[in-house]
Amino acid sequence: MEKFLISKGRRTRETPYTSRIEKQGLTSYTVYNHMLLPTSFGPLEESYHHLKKHVQIWDVAGERQVEIKGKDSSKLVQLMTCRDLSKSKIGRCYYCPIIDDKAGLINDPVILKLDEERWWISIADSDVILFAKGLAIGHKFDVNIIEPNVDILAVQGPKSNKLMEKIFGKKITEMKFFEFDYFKFNDAKHLIAKSGWSKQSGYEIYVENKESGLALYDHLFELGKEFNVKPGCPNLIERIESGLLSYGNDVDNNDNPLECGLDKYVNLDNDIDFLGKEKLKEIRKLGIIKKLRGVKIETKEINVSKSIKLFDEKNNEIGELRSGAYSPHFEKVIGIAMICKPYWNISQPFKIKINGKTFDGKICDLPLI
Amino acid sequence: MEKFLISKGRRTRETPYTSRIEKQGLTSYTVYNHMLLPTSFGPLEESYHHLKKHVQIWDVAGERQVEIKGKDSSKLVQLMTCRDLSKSKIGRCYYCPIIDDKAGLINDPVILKLDEERWWISIADSDVILFAKGLAIGHKFDVNIIEPNVDILAVQGPKSNKLMEKIFGKKITEMKFFEFDYFKFNDAKHLIAKSGWSKQSGYEIYVENKESGLALYDHLFELGKEFNVKPGCPNLIERIESGLLSYGNDVDNNDNPLECGLDKYVNLDNDIDFLGKEKLKEIRKLGIIKKLRGVKIETKEINVSKSIKLFDEKNNEIGELRSGAYSPHFEKVIGIAMICKPYWNISQPFKIKINGKTFDGKICDLPLI
């Protein structure tokens, strides 16, 4: 694939860490929530192996927060997601599909309950703040909605526990997955969650104090030397193997959560009030006609910059590949695809054309590992 | 400035013209409304001179449409903008600031009135569709809101009239600025407006029929040979000289339309109903405390990837530069800056640090030419 440069401007916002990562060997960016998000520090595969063995620091400030505060904040947050948040607890993160009134996905954020009347929606790439504002204005909700200055640093990889313990003490390693708490560094308090966009274990530091965040960034690299720390970013190979969905890539507004395998985050059987509930009930009753699946393809190279059609042996179109990468683990290309009924069974064979050549593939479950 | 590559994926959508522009010498991209937007075909200055003399074809599919249709469509569109649309006419384009209930800018689209109950909002870079959906749901408006498959081709430059006349006949040259009409090409009907994001004269073709659009793209280059046609894109130098604002660069949600010099698109003195009206009345009464201005700087080079502070001779911070480029016309750097009261007078001198060196500058009016 031919390579092109990225143009910078104030609109594609820098993060507090931009000048640091550019000195540390950054090679490419994407734009995520109107912000620069690093996508590689040299070869993807090298970074993949490193992430699975050691520890990486990621500038994921592009994962912006939508803060919803006030008397009606819980009502608004619940209205936006089909996941039942009625029993949600302060200090916990919740993966929540956000859908519109037609049950189309708008985002798939992690929602943090900071307080009974204060929430952070840690968003994928779409302007959820505009949806929240529109709903709040239309419903005359008593809420205040802002994008706070929060720039997340992720610490990911199997050695993240040791590195974080060295800085914040034993207590941080005792947090369970998707819990968060506050930890001090240089007199500044940081919200830290046991979370992150890899399945290699890790933390996300929601940095509000920029100065302290920069000092912490440098400290993580200083103390991380013994754990072979490196700068990194969400890794395409690892996240596909792990079945971590990317909004806009694997799923979008034309898909509903049942089609995306998010059934366990869909609560239709109690009386919570959210957008698209009636539509989802109708969909559940009729049954879905497409479903997100993993795929394995008998080749070693792929670049997915748009959907690629999949065909069965009789040349029927059976679905489309939406993300893909060569996996050193499987020694072939793997990917995430939206597959039509009745072709979504495991082991269903298909054909795919990549750069003019046809290859064989098979449907598989998600996650792949 | 160091150069970095852009990573592609389905999330940063290709346009129908992507494969063509990549073969025509494209060198860089940005991401705009979750879509690839070309930003250069070789040196910026060369393209600037060419745009001012000849004719260019631009892939500006990133300028997405939000279609609002239905009984309450006019009510919803008016609710989102402070510009009075009560006398708007079918077949006309309207530049409209979209603001929230706090009068902060959300977008500055051109709105096309297609029919009494059907509108296209031709957006700058933010998910206006989510704002519209949220408002419509909250207000229980009877509307249907979609992002239609419209991929704009812009034909810009002084020779655009001749080229378009050759394809579509004399009638197209008779349209006034910001009028639109329908024109046939290869049996497909295309909505074409006398508009575009340059002041060098031009048209925007709202392509709905992709096949016909691709044939038209090739035809424009074929017939354009005698006019020295070239592929192009919005030109940073030309658009700053012309004072064409870029949402996210020059203005954002922290600015209101009065601060951005958009006074003539703000209607506070009749009874139309829009968000932020009371807030704008309050702001008008108190007076604004910052204002968008042009600047000229005594140097030949600049790269603005974030705001750069401006100081007066006593080292008071007087504002920030938000966009900038070297202008061959002025033989110096020009830019767009947000300037604090009382420093916004024309000819106010300032100092600015660029790459460690301090330069002199002066405030000027917008547009610069």
Side-chain angles (χ1 to χ4, degrees):
Chain A
M1 195 165 60
E2 230 187 311
K3 309 273 188 198
F4 301 98
L5 298 173
I6 190 164
S7 293
K8 287 186 179 184
R10 183 175 176 265
R11 182 178 58 78
T12 50
R13 300 174 286 180
E14 293 196 345
T15 85
Y17 323 111
T18 298
S19 67
R20 280 171 168 72
I21 63 172
E22 292 189 355
K23 279 183 204 127
Q24 288 175 308
L26 175 87
T27 45
S28 65
Y29 278 122
T30 186
V31 177
Y32 201 86
N33 287 319
H34 314 280
M35 196 166 233
L36 296 173
L37 178 72
T39 49
S40 66
F41 290 81
L44 201 58
E45 244 181 89
E46 240 171 61
S47 193
Y48 161 88
H49 290 298
H50 179 267
L51 172 62
K52 289 185 125 183
K53 263 193 226 127
H54 306 290
V55 57
Q56 296 185 350
I57 313 300
W58 297 358
D59 167 9
V60 283
E63 221 181 295
R64 306 306 294 165
Q65 306 308 304
V66 177
E67 176 173 301
I68 302 187
K69 210 166 87 170
K71 207 165 64 66
D72 294 326
S73 58
S74 299
K75 212 192 284 180
L76 174 57
V77 170
Q78 182 62 80
L79 191 64
M80 290 197 285
T81 179
C82 50
R83 179 167 182 177
D84 182 0
L85 292 173
S86 61
K87 294 183 187 68
S88 58
K89 293 192 179 81
I90 294 167
R92 285 284 186 85
C93 307
Y94 298 89
Y95 177 75
C96 294
I98 292 190
I99 59 174
D100 60 23
D101 55 335
K102 297 188 173 70
L105 271 169
I106 275 179
N107 206 287
D108 66 330
V110 169
I111 298 182
L112 287 76
K113 185 167 184 172
L114 301 174
D115 221 323
E116 285 307 331
E117 297 187 353
R118 188 166 167 248
W119 304 76
W120 277 354
I121 308 181
S122 194
I123 56 172
D125 181 38
S126 74
D127 297 333
V128 170
I129 193 168
L130 297 183
F131 192 53
K133 280 187 182 184
L135 286 170
I137 293 167
H139 282 98
K140 296 192 167 48
F141 282 155
D142 182 3
V143 288
N144 190 32
I145 302 170
I146 58 160
E147 182 185 299
N149 291 321
V150 175
D151 300 291
I152 297 182
L153 277 179
V155 182
Q156 300 286 305
K159 295 181 184 167
S160 60
N161 292 312
K162 283 182 182 159
L163 174 54
M164 292 296 272
E165 182 179 352
K166 234 175 132 179
I167 298 178
F168 296 103
K170 185 133 194 75
K171 192 185 147 210
I172 203 160
T173 64
E174 289 159 4
M175 275 201 293
K176 291 194 192 107
F177 185 65
F178 265 29
E179 283 184 350
F180 69 81
D181 208 339
Y182 298 87
F183 297 87
K184 262 195 156 180
F185 175 73
N186 280 1
D187 290 331
K189 200 178 69 170
H190 295 279
L191 187 162
I192 303 182
K194 182 97 185 86
S195 61
W197 214 53
S198 87
K199 286 213 174 146
Q200 307 311 315
S201 183
Y203 298 86
E204 287 180 300
I205 309 169
Y206 287 70
V207 176
E208 292 178 90
N209 182 320
K210 188 178 146 178
E211 307 264 288
S212 176
L214 288 171
L216 177 54
Y217 185 93
D218 296 337
H219 199 60
L220 282 162
F221 279 95
E222 192 53 40
L223 265 66
K225 277 178 192 159
E226 64 170 298
F227 308 115
N228 191 13
V229 69
K230 282 193 180 173
C233 51
N235 186 284
L236 182 65
I237 310 169
E238 196 278 337
R239 77 108 183 143
I240 294 177
E241 285 181 355
S242 300
L244 294 168
L245 303 187
S246 165
Y247 183 78
N249 284 313
D250 309 315
V251 298
D252 63 35
N253 192 238
N254 297 305
D255 309 313
N256 69 57
L258 298 175
E259 292 166 340
C260 303
L262 301 175
D263 308 54
K264 66 174 170 173
Y265 306 110
V266 176
N267 291 77
L268 295 175
D269 301 315
N270 61 12
D271 62 353
I272 56 162
D273 188 23
F274 62 84
L275 297 172
K277 191 173 185 179
E278 289 315 307
K279 184 74 190 164
L280 276 176
K281 280 185 181 173
E282 197 185 309
I283 292 164
R284 188 175 61 172
K285 205 172 147 192
L286 290 170
I288 55 170
I289 54 167
K290 58 184 169 63
K291 197 178 206 165
L292 212 62
R293 285 296 198 191
V295 297
K296 292 177 190 164
I297 303 169
E298 298 302 328
T299 181
K300 303 264 182 190
E301 221 189 321
I302 197 165
N303 279 299
V304 180
S305 58
K306 59 182 166 190
S307 299
I308 307 177
K309 289 179 181 176
L310 309 180
F311 297 91
D312 74 357
E313 70 285 355
K314 289 174 187 154
N315 244 14
N316 297 307
E317 197 179 321
I318 70 158
E320 59 177 33
L321 182 70
R322 293 181 170 182
S323 291
Y326 172 73
S327 159
H329 178 87
F330 292 103
E331 296 182 324
K332 59 185 73 173
V333 163
I334 58 167
I336 296 175
M338 188 58 88
I339 307 294
C340 305
K341 197 175 173 183
Y343 303 101
W344 65 46
N345 291 326
I346 305 308
S347 295
Q348 162 78 37
F350 63 81
K351 296 198 177 294
I352 181 172
K353 211 181 243 183
I354 303 168
N355 294 329
K357 273 191 191 168
T358 302
F359 297 95
D360 289 319
K362 272 193 181 159
I363 305 285
C364 64
D365 229 341
L366 279 175
L368 283 104
I369 292 186
Chain B
M1 195 166 60
E2 228 187 315
K3 309 273 188 198
F4 301 97
L5 298 173
I6 189 163
S7 293
K8 286 186 181 185
R10 183 174 176 266
R11 181 177 59 79
T12 50
R13 299 174 286 179
E14 294 196 343
T15 85
Y17 323 110
T18 298
S19 66
R20 279 169 169 72
I21 63 173
E22 293 188 356
K23 280 182 204 128
Q24 289 175 309
L26 175 89
T27 44
S28 65
Y29 277 123
T30 185
V31 177
Y32 200 85
N33 288 319
H34 314 280
M35 198 167 233
L36 295 172
L37 178 72
T39 49
S40 66
F41 290 81
L44 200 59
E45 244 182 88
E46 242 171 60
S47 193
Y48 160 87
H49 290 299
H50 178 267
L51 172 63
K52 290 186 125 182
K53 264 193 222 124
H54 306 291
V55 58
Q56 296 185 350
I57 313 300
W58 296 358
D59 168 7
V60 284
E63 221 181 294
R64 305 307 291 167
Q65 306 308 302
V66 177
E67 177 174 301
I68 301 187
K69 211 166 87 172
K71 206 165 66 65
D72 294 326
S73 57
S74 299
K75 212 192 281 181
L76 174 56
V77 171
Q78 182 62 79
L79 191 64
M80 291 196 285
T81 179
C82 51
R83 179 166 182 180
D84 182 1
L85 292 174
S86 61
K87 293 182 188 69
S88 58
K89 293 191 179 81
I90 294 166
R92 285 283 188 83
C93 307
Y94 297 90
Y95 177 75
C96 294
I98 292 190
I99 59 175
D100 61 23
D101 55 334
K102 297 190 172 70
L105 271 170
I106 276 180
N107 205 288
D108 68 330
V110 169
I111 298 183
L112 286 76
K113 186 168 183 171
L114 302 173
D115 221 325
E116 285 306 332
E117 295 187 355
R118 186 163 169 250
W119 305 76
W120 276 353
I121 308 180
S122 194
I123 57 173
D125 181 37
S126 74
D127 297 333
V128 171
I129 193 167
L130 297 183
F131 192 52
K133 280 187 182 183
L135 285 170
I137 293 167
H139 281 98
K140 296 189 168 47
F141 282 155
D142 182 3
V143 288
N144 191 33
I145 302 169
I146 59 160
E147 182 185 299
N149 290 322
V150 175
D151 300 291
I152 297 182
L153 278 179
V155 181
Q156 301 286 304
K159 295 180 183 166
S160 59
N161 291 313
K162 282 183 181 158
L163 174 54
M164 292 295 271
E165 182 179 351
K166 236 176 132 180
I167 299 179
F168 297 103
K170 186 137 193 72
K171 191 186 147 208
I172 204 162
T173 64
E174 289 159 3
M175 275 200 295
K176 291 193 191 111
F177 186 66
F178 265 29
E179 282 182 350
F180 68 82
D181 208 338
Y182 299 87
F183 297 86
K184 260 192 158 183
F185 175 74
N186 282 1
D187 291 331
K189 203 179 67 172
H190 295 279
L191 187 162
I192 303 182
K194 183 96 185 86
S195 61
W197 214 54
S198 86
K199 287 213 173 149
Q200 306 312 313
S201 183
Y203 298 86
E204 288 180 298
I205 308 169
Y206 288 70
V207 175
E208 293 178 88
N209 181 319
K210 189 177 146 179
E211 308 264 288
S212 175
L214 288 171
L216 178 53
Y217 186 92
D218 296 337
H219 198 61
L220 282 162
F221 278 95
E222 191 53 38
L223 265 65
K225 278 179 192 163
E226 65 170 297
F227 306 117
N228 192 12
V229 70
K230 283 194 181 173
C233 50
N235 186 283
L236 183 66
I237 309 168
E238 196 277 340
R239 77 107 183 142
I240 294 177
E241 285 181 357
S242 300
L244 294 167
L245 303 187
S246 166
Y247 184 78
N249 284 312
D250 309 316
V251 298
D252 63 35
N253 193 238
N254 298 306
D255 309 314
N256 68 57
L258 299 174
E259 291 166 341
C260 303
L262 301 175
D263 307 55
K264 65 174 169 171
Y265 306 109
V266 176
N267 291 79
L268 294 176
D269 301 315
N270 60 13
D271 61 355
I272 57 163
D273 188 24
F274 62 84
L275 297 173
K277 190 172 185 178
E278 289 316 307
K279 185 72 190 167
L280 275 176
K281 280 185 179 171
E282 196 186 310
I283 291 164
R284 187 175 62 172
K285 204 173 149 190
L286 290 170
I288 55 170
I289 54 168
K290 60 185 172 47
K291 197 179 207 164
L292 211 62
R293 284 296 196 192
V295 297
K296 292 176 190 165
I297 303 169
E298 299 301 328
T299 181
K300 303 264 182 189
E301 221 189 321
I302 198 165
N303 279 301
V304 181
S305 58
K306 59 183 168 189
S307 298
I308 306 177
K309 289 179 180 175
L310 309 180
F311 298 90
D312 75 356
E313 70 284 357
K314 287 172 189 155
N315 245 13
N316 297 307
E317 196 180 321
I318 70 158
E320 60 177 33
L321 182 69
R322 294 181 171 183
S323 291
Y326 173 73
S327 160
H329 177 87
F330 292 105
E331 296 182 322
K332 59 185 74 172
V333 162
I334 58 167
I336 296 175
M338 188 57 90
I339 307 294
C340 305
K341 196 176 175 181
Y343 302 101
W344 65 44
N345 292 328
I346 305 307
S347 296
Q348 162 78 38
F350 63 82
K351 295 196 179 296
I352 181 172
K353 212 181 243 183
I354 304 168
N355 294 330
K357 272 191 189 167
T358 301
F359 298 95
D360 289 318
K362 271 192 181 161
I363 305 285
C364 64
D365 229 340
L366 277 176
L368 283 104
I369 291 185

